[in-house]
Structures are given as C-alpha cells and as structure tokens.
Amino acid sequence: MTDLATRVAPPRVTLLRRAAPALLGYAAVRALGLLVLVAWSAARGKSAHTLLTARWDALWYTRVAELGYGYEVRLPNGDVHSNLAFFPLLPWLERLLHALTPLSYADAGFVVSLLASFAAAWGIFAVADHGYGRRAGASAVLLWAVLPVGIVQSMAYSESLFTALAAWSLYAVLTGRWVTAGALAALAGLTRPVGLAVVAAVWTAGVVSFVRDRSAAAAHGARGAEGAPDAPWGAAVTPHSPHPTTGAPAGSRALGMLLAPLGAAAYVLWVGRRTGKGPLGYLDVQAGWRNGFDGGYAFGRFVADKFTSFPSALAGVGLIIGVGLVIWLYLIGVRQRQPLPLLVYTGVVVALALCASSYFGSKPRLLLPAFPLLLPLATTLARTRTPRSALVIGLLAVAAAVYGAFWLNGSGPP
C-alpha cells in the first residue's frame, strides 16, 4: 500500500521536479504574450499595465479590495451593477498583499493572478501526469497556455486563481486526499460562482465511493467499507491509468464532502442577508447584470442573429464550430473514460458557460477553467515527435499572443 500511494501521489518536491520543464515552457508562452501586448498597446497609445490590472472585472475586484462591498452603478435602462456579484477570495488576497507590500491594490491583483496562473499550470500538469504520464502533463500545460484567450491568465481576473484551486482539488480527489479536496473546493466556491463545478465533482466522487464501498461490503463481508483504505481514484490498473476506483476511509470522505460547499454557501447566504432577499438574493444581484441561467436560449439567439448579414454570418459559423469543438472534446473525454470527477467538473463548467445569459464576448474566458477538455489533445500531442510538437506549440503561442493583444485592445471586456 505504501508503494502504491507513493506512485500515484508523489511528494510535492518530486511532482514539482517532474513539472519543471512544463512550467518553464508555460513561463515562456506567458512572457511572449505579455511582450506582444506591451508592443501592440504602445503602438495604439494604450497602457498594457492598465489593460491587465485596471479595466473591466479587474477594476471591480480592486474596488472590493479597497472599499469593500456596497458599490453599485445604476445604468440609464434601470439595470443595477453591484459589486456583490464578485466573489471575495481574490479581493481578500489583493488586500492582504497590499497590506504586506508597497504594491497598489491593482498591482497586487496582477501578482496574485500571476502566481495563481503558475499554480494552475502545475495543478493541470499534476492531473494529466497522474492519468496519462509526464509528456501528456506537459502538453496539457502548454495547450492551456496557448489558448486564444490565454492572456486572461495574466490579468488581475479570478480565472487563474479559480483554475488553480479547481485543478488541485481534482488532483486531491484523484489521489484520495478528500479533506484537502474539500477545503480547496470551499476556496474555489469563494472565488467564482462556477465553484459549484468543483463541489459537484467532489460530491459525485464521494457518493460513488460510498456506493462502491457498500457493494464491496456486501460482496466480501467483513472486508467492506470500514476496512483498509481504498486505492485512490485512477490508481487501480496501471501507474497512469485514467480509470477511477474509490477514495479513502469513510470519515475523511465525509469530511471532504462536508467542507466542499461551505465557501459558496457562505458567500451566497451572506449576500442574501445583506440584500434582505434571503438565499436567492445573489440571483437578484446577477439579474442586475443581466446574468442568469436560461439553458442557452439567449446564446442561441445571439448566434442566430449573426446570420442576418454576410460579414457577421462568418462569426456565426465560427461560434458554431467553437461550440461544436467543445462538445466534441468533451465526448472524446467520455469515450476515453476520463475519471468521473473530471467529467462532472468539466460538464458543469461548460454548461454554466454556454447556458448562461451573460455577456457573450466572455464565453471563451468562462471556458478557460475547463482544462480537462484539453486532455484528448494533450495525449495526442504527447505521442508526437518532440520537434513537431514544439513547432505546433510555437505557432499556437505566436497566434495566441497576437490574438490576445488584439482582443485586449478592443472596445469590449474579455
């Protein structure tokens, strides 16, 4: 049992050493993106620093860190944009770093996101390495870095922080560390509303583990759910098997499941009390931003409207291809029998991103935490010869850097 645990859950130092080449590659991609952004912004008379730290959502987070909650903007059409829509963990960290260093709140947010992006890359590597090996882990990290919207990973937004917490929570589930998984899920729930995806993954995995334990108890009598600890998820067949088994002793599983929803529940209930509207108060806050879950109706109308003229029809075709690619990658993950926690997490992230009536230009950014979608591509890239895979990543990195600079210098928020 000791050898198995060491094999599937190596010490952090060993895991960091394994991930080091991937993290260096990630740093190179992010540096390229920032350099292109600085040059592009300077050519347009804009400040890359402002675009990264003090525009759009980053500005709202900074205001929460500096002034607390209670700020809102009333628009001419009657909509109310309240900063209660923004979950508190990132502003808390901005405030803490500002108190400990000479950094402004905005710069503190940039540093937090920068560090969180590396933690996220390391967590993505850990998940992919656990299931598919070191080369697949490195490929997953680099593919996440070269996404067209990868520049968001370097912004004072909450995506990097959330992805880091989600990836490490999922890794903790895969390696049978349920209390750690639950604690990280609780923190993810304090970061973004989509923290529900991490909670769902932990709870689904926990319930399945309990059911399997009961089945094992019925089949083997005394050697059942209260016996020796089970093997971690994904450790049953081979050193890098993607197939899940069960978790850990019942007590730690229950504690992890209990911890998981506390972050999101605490903030939502606090908002409800502050607004005087009870548990549904947060939904009213989101409604003020015209955000809600409509099953994809508004997004479908948005795509359909693109076909009213020829130039915009090309954008409509691109959106359909993009959504189709997301669904296709998810179905490949199902066919590859990715561990259940990953499938549940990805499914909830994708559903919330595509089926919400939020600002449609942000859909790609909202999908950024859905890193398990990249695992089928990562396993394919891992089987490619190194020179060819390096060329592919290099070309994608350049394209992503150019697109990111163009995107942030546009008129709307990412």
Side-chain angles (χ1 to χ4, degrees):
M1 181 62 71
T2 301
D3 292 340
L4 177 62
T6 301
R7 173 167 57 80
V8 299
R12 283 189 292 270
V13 173
T14 301
L15 186 58
L16 180 58
R17 188 181 301 117
R18 288 178 62 84
L23 295 180
L24 289 174
Y26 178 80
V29 173
R30 291 273 48 84
L32 175 63
L34 292 174
L35 288 173
V36 172
L37 175 64
V38 169
W40 192 297
S41 301
R44 293 178 58 87
K46 294 185 178 182
S47 167
H49 177 265
T50 300
L51 293 175
L52 292 170
T53 65
R55 290 291 304 276
W56 308 300
D57 287 12
L59 188 57
W60 284 89
Y61 282 118
T62 298
R63 284 174 177 155
V64 174
E66 183 176 5
L67 305 174
Y69 285 105
Y71 177 83
E72 62 183 30
V73 175
R74 294 184 177 272
L75 304 183
N77 65 357
D79 290 345
V80 178
H81 288 182
S82 168
N83 65 0
L84 290 170
F86 295 87
F87 277 50
L89 186 57
L90 177 58
W92 286 348
L93 294 175
E94 290 178 349
R95 183 178 298 176
L96 176 63
L97 191 57
H98 169 75
L100 297 176
T101 69
L103 293 173
S104 67
Y105 290 104
D107 289 338
F110 175 74
V111 171
V112 169
S113 293
L114 181 66
L115 296 176
S117 70
F118 280 89
W122 187 15
I124 291 170
F125 174 87
V127 170
D129 177 45
H130 174 83
Y132 305 99
R134 187 177 186 180
R135 283 181 62 89
S139 297
V141 168
L142 294 175
L143 287 172
W144 191 65
V146 301
L147 288 174
V149 296
I151 190 65
V152 174
Q153 299 163 19
S154 299
M155 297 179 69
Y157 274 36
S158 60
E159 272 75 15
S160 289
L161 179 60
F162 174 78
T163 305
L165 294 168
W168 284 107
S169 179
L170 292 169
Y171 179 71
V173 170
L174 295 174
T175 54
R177 298 168 178 175
W178 289 86
V179 176
T180 299
L184 292 172
L187 291 175
L190 285 170
T191 308
R192 295 186 62 79
V194 75
L196 294 174
V198 191
V199 177
V202 173
W203 269 73
T204 303
V207 169
V208 170
S209 291
F210 279 120
V211 170
R212 286 175 174 164
D213 278 355
R214 292 196 64 179
S215 299
H220 301 291
R223 186 178 176 80
E226 300 302 325
D230 303 307
W233 286 78
V237 183
T238 67
H240 299 294
S241 169
H243 304 288
T245 54
T246 52
S252 64
R253 263 176 283 168
L255 180 56
M257 294 173 67
L258 178 65
L259 290 173
L262 293 184
Y267 183 68
V268 168
L269 291 175
W270 179 82
V271 170
R273 181 177 180 181
R274 184 180 176 97
T275 59
K277 297 182 179 179
L280 300 181
Y282 183 77
L283 296 181
D284 287 342
V285 171
Q286 286 284 8
W289 287 80
R290 303 255 175 156
N291 288 340
F293 189 86
D294 63 1
Y297 174 75
F299 185 47
R301 286 192 58 184
F302 174 77
V303 174
D305 288 344
K306 293 293 182 183
F307 290 92
T308 57
S309 63
F310 173 71
S312 63
L314 296 178
V317 172
L319 288 170
I320 292 174
I321 292 174
V323 172
L325 178 62
V326 168
I327 296 173
W328 178 65
L329 289 174
Y330 184 76
L331 292 177
I332 291 179
V334 173
R335 288 200 297 269
Q336 287 184 341
R337 301 184 65 186
Q338 285 183 10
L340 182 62
L342 299 187
L343 293 175
V344 170
Y345 166 77
T346 307
V348 175
V349 172
V350 170
L352 290 178
L354 297 183
C355 298
S357 58
S358 55
Y359 176 66
F360 302 114
S362 295
K363 296 293 185 184
R365 170 173 65 87
L366 298 179
L367 288 169
L368 194 62
F371 68 89
L373 290 174
L374 300 173
L375 294 180
L377 299 176
T379 55
T380 299
L381 191 63
R383 293 192 294 268
T384 306
R385 296 186 178 217
T386 300
R388 182 173 297 178
S389 61
L391 177 61
V392 170
I393 292 296
L395 293 175
L396 290 175
V398 172
V402 172
Y403 179 77
F406 167 78
W407 193 37
L408 289 196
N409 277 277
S411 58

